Amino acid sequence: MRRLPPLGAIEAFIQVARLGSVKAAATELALSAPALSRRVQALERFIDRPLFERRHQAIVLNADGERLLAQIAPVLDSLSDAVEAMTSTTEVLRLRLGILPLYASQQLFPRLGELRAAHPELHLDIDTGGHGVARLGEGLDAVIALAREVDPQLYARRLARDKVYVIAARRFLEGPNPITEPHQIRQLTALIHREMPENFTAWRVAAGVEDIEPAAIDYFDSGALLLEAAAQGLGVAFMHESQFQQARDPRLVHLFDINVESPYSYYFLCRPRALHQRAVRIFHDWL
């Protein structure tokens, strides 16, 4: 039987290749950076060729590294699945998912029947508490978060791009003094989600009213309550097109036909090592 390189060296190579960072890979594998580098170098000596190009503050796969990753990463993932299946005391797979309540109610829960039908063994523990990203690996396996930028040490998959919508009660558009021009924002209370403050700034710049202040600004930490406040006529909400469309609330209208890309997007986030967990990969691929 042909001799194989140490499994630890293979695991180190795959983590560095996926993360593009020795430091990040070392953190995932609970190793020091020098120890992880030695494992990668051991694999390179074993196959007698370099696998990475070392650049200033970066490490990237060369052609040999790309070819090796494509061949062995799926094998290691399959090996992890086999060990997990043999050591598990139950066939139930459980995913601890952090998620924002509005995204959960509008976009996840309407599709959960589809997920259960495709993967009856997968069960979700839903967590709508705050600071989900900070709790990855410590109570949460993955999160669906709203973010402008993401930590490069995390695995991130953008779920969709979105536009900023100004959402208001129908009477704001159909009443006796309709709101039809952006400069009328000075008459209104702006309703803003605490996790999306830059939506208001981006919209004002696009609308050419960055020097105009609203009558007041009210902040919310709940998207559902923000939509309800807008429906009650308490102000105009600066939210996402998808949130407006999914609400399907006849009390609400979209003001101003101004095309503004949101600085924020929903992301699926997890620690790269979590992708080895079958529950995380099933949910990721389905999502």
Side-chain angles (χ1 to χ4, degrees), residues 260-272:
V260 185
E261 183 170 309
S262 174
Y264 304 93
S265 295
Y266 283 108
Y267 288 88
F268 173 90
L269 300 168
C270 68
R271 294 192 178 278

Side-chain angles (χ1 to χ4, degrees), residues 14-286:
I14 291 175
Q15 285 297 326
V16 174
R18 285 174 167 169
L19 293 176
S21 165
V22 170
K23 181 179 178 181
T27 299
E28 282 298 316
L29 295 177
L31 295 169
S32 67
L36 183 132
S37 294
R38 287 194 293 271
R39 292 190 181 189
V40 173
Q41 290 164 6
L43 180 61
E44 291 178 319
R45 287 195 300 271
F46 186 92
I47 64 174
D48 195 28
R49 68 188 65 189
L51 299 171
F52 294 95
E53 293 180 9
R54 274 76 173 179
R55 299 174 182 173
H56 180 62
Q57 296 184 337
I59 182 169
V60 297
L61 287 170
N62 60 23
D64 287 330
E66 291 278 5
R67 186 164 58 254
L68 183 63
L69 180 68
Q71 292 175 348
I72 69 172
V75 175
L76 187 62
D77 289 342
S78 296
L79 178 61
S80 297
D81 285 347
V83 172
E84 182 180 338
M86 291 298 294
T87 57
S88 176
T89 59
T90 174
E91 293 183 358
V92 171
L93 297 176
R94 192 163 295 279
L95 175 71
R96 300 168 300 173
L97 179 68
I99 190 169
L100 296 172
L102 188 61
Y103 188 93
S105 63
Q106 287 190 340
Q107 302 202 47
L108 178 63
F109 276 82
R111 298 180 57 204
L112 281 185
E114 170 195 329
L115 175 62
R116 179 59 54 85
H119 300 284
E121 75 281 16
L122 180 63
H123 291 258
L124 303 184
D125 289 340
I126 300 294
D127 187 324
T128 59
H131 308 292
V133 175
R135 292 188 288 133
L136 281 172
E138 300 178 4
L140 296 177
D141 300 313
V143 300
I144 296 176
L146 192 65
R148 184 170 185 173
E149 298 177 343
V150 298
D151 186 339
Q153 294 191 13
L154 296 176
Y155 171 83
R157 174 65 62 89
R158 190 196 303 268
L159 299 179
R161 295 188 181 273
D162 224 321
K163 296 179 181 179
V164 179
Y165 263 33
V166 184
I167 305 169
R170 185 169 295 278
R171 65 179 175 81
F172 279 51
L173 188 61
E174 299 178 354
N177 298 300
I179 303 298
T180 58
E181 298 295 333
H183 67 82
Q184 291 177 284
I185 192 71
R186 61 164 54 95
Q187 307 169 22
L188 307 171
T189 296
L191 308 176
I192 297 174
H193 199 292
R194 291 188 185 279
E195 294 192 18
M196 298 192 294
E198 294 302 318
N199 271 353
F200 183 44
T201 302
W203 180 84
R204 288 204 300 175
V205 170
V209 292
E210 58 266 42
D211 295 329
I212 295 178
E213 296 296 331
I217 298 177
D218 293 348
Y219 291 94
F220 290 72
D221 62 4
S222 165
L225 293 180
L226 188 56
L227 286 172
E228 184 60 29
Q232 295 293 339
L234 302 182
V236 294
F238 291 80
M239 299 184 70
H240 281 170
E241 176 187 10
S242 62
Q243 294 166 335
F244 172 77
Q245 300 291 355
Q246 293 289 335
R248 299 183 179 88
D249 190 332
R251 299 174 299 168
L252 296 172
V253 294
H254 166 219
L255 300 180
F256 315 121
D257 188 17
I258 300 174
N259 189 3
V260 185
E261 183 170 309
S262 174
Y264 304 93
S265 295
Y266 283 108
Y267 288 88
F268 173 90
L269 300 168
C270 68
R271 294 192 178 278
R273 189 174 179 82
L275 290 173
H276 297 315
Q277 301 173 26
R278 187 161 172 251
V280 174
R281 288 211 314 278
I282 287 174
F283 184 78
H284 166 274
D285 294 345
W286 169 81

